[in-house]
Amino acid sequence: MALSSASAIASETSDPKDTASRLDIRYVRVTGTRNGEGRIRIETYGDWNARYLRAAKDTSMGVRFDDGDDQDVQHGEYPGGGTWSGGTYEAFGVFRYRDGNLRFVVSLFAINNDVHDVYVARRPNRHTVVVRFSFDRPYFKEEHLSVGARVFDRVDCPYAQCSDHAPDGRTRMRVY
């Protein structure tokens, strides 16, 4: 998947060292075009191996996508009755290690977490993850898109301070 540098828009942010986690976000860059190809790069302050993002560990690294950059709230029904609402993101992608590979799994922000796309992620070094994916999916249908990165780590410290968001002070970055 090749990105056209002439038409691709990049959004990036640096984040301070503010948690004890090795997954503490240092830098996030998202490049992409509407209905085109995209790329996410997340760098952390600490070193970690891909197995650190296994489902069996209480760790996660992901990106939330707000299609339309409109901060809308999602609503749904629980199986068996009742309703829920929350979130300002239509979809999210999580980096997950499974079967010897690090993957980026994109799901809709819904109670059943339907998986829609899985992409292979790569690790150029011990504190960076990169993935190329497509913005031409049905859940990226609006003219504008914004993203926010999030990590969570209960292995390095079993309390809320091992959660980090980027960008700090804002909920998201505009991609296009």
Side-chain angles (χ1 to χ4, degrees):
M1 210 183 286
L3 289 176
S4 167
S5 60
S7 61
I9 299 170
S11 185
E12 58 189 353
T13 188
S14 296
D15 192 67
K17 182 158 180 46
D18 50 6
T19 76
S21 169
R22 67 188 87 180
L23 297 178
D24 187 3
I25 299 171
R26 177 190 302 237
Y27 175 79
V28 177
R29 179 180 172 96
V30 182
T31 306
T33 58
R34 183 171 183 252
N35 294 321
E37 298 164 345
R39 182 175 183 256
I40 297 172
R41 178 184 186 95
I42 300 176
E43 296 178 17
T44 62
Y45 284 96
D47 289 346
W48 47 278
N49 61 40
R51 289 184 305 274
Y52 198 69
L53 295 175
R54 288 188 314 237
K57 288 193 174 280
D58 204 358
T59 60
S60 68
M61 176 183 290
V63 176
R64 296 182 249 187
F65 300 95
D66 183 6
D67 187 40
D69 193 22
D70 53 5
Q71 302 182 45
D72 52 352
V73 177
Q74 300 295 305
H75 304 281
E77 293 184 15
Y78 289 109
T83 61
W84 62 271
S85 65
T88 58
Y89 296 90
E90 281 79 18
F92 65 94
V94 64
F95 291 95
R96 186 59 67 200
Y97 181 82
R98 185 171 178 201
D99 299 329
N101 294 300
L102 186 60
R103 298 178 175 131
F104 185 63
V105 180
V106 180
S107 304
L108 286 179
F109 188 74
I111 194 66
N112 57 357
N113 294 332
D114 291 330
V115 173
H116 288 272
D117 294 298
V118 179
Y119 301 92
V120 175
R122 57 184 190 83
R123 301 276 321 283
N125 57 49
R126 292 185 51 84
H127 59 265
T128 304
V129 64
V130 177
V131 65
R132 290 182 184 272
F133 64 100
S134 178
F135 282 125
D136 71 351
R137 312 306 299 148
Y139 42 86
F140 297 129
K141 63 185 179 306
E142 300 293 334
E143 184 178 346
H144 297 290
L145 178 81
S146 59
V147 300
R150 180 185 180 275
V151 297
F152 182 77
D153 183 352
R154 288 220 182 189
V155 174
D156 281 347
C157 53
Y159 47 89
Q161 286 80 1
C162 276
S163 176
D164 193 20
H165 300 265
D168 277 347
R170 317 187 307 261
T171 56
R172 67 196 145 280
M173 311 179 298
R174 170 74 66 91
V175 178
Y176 55 79

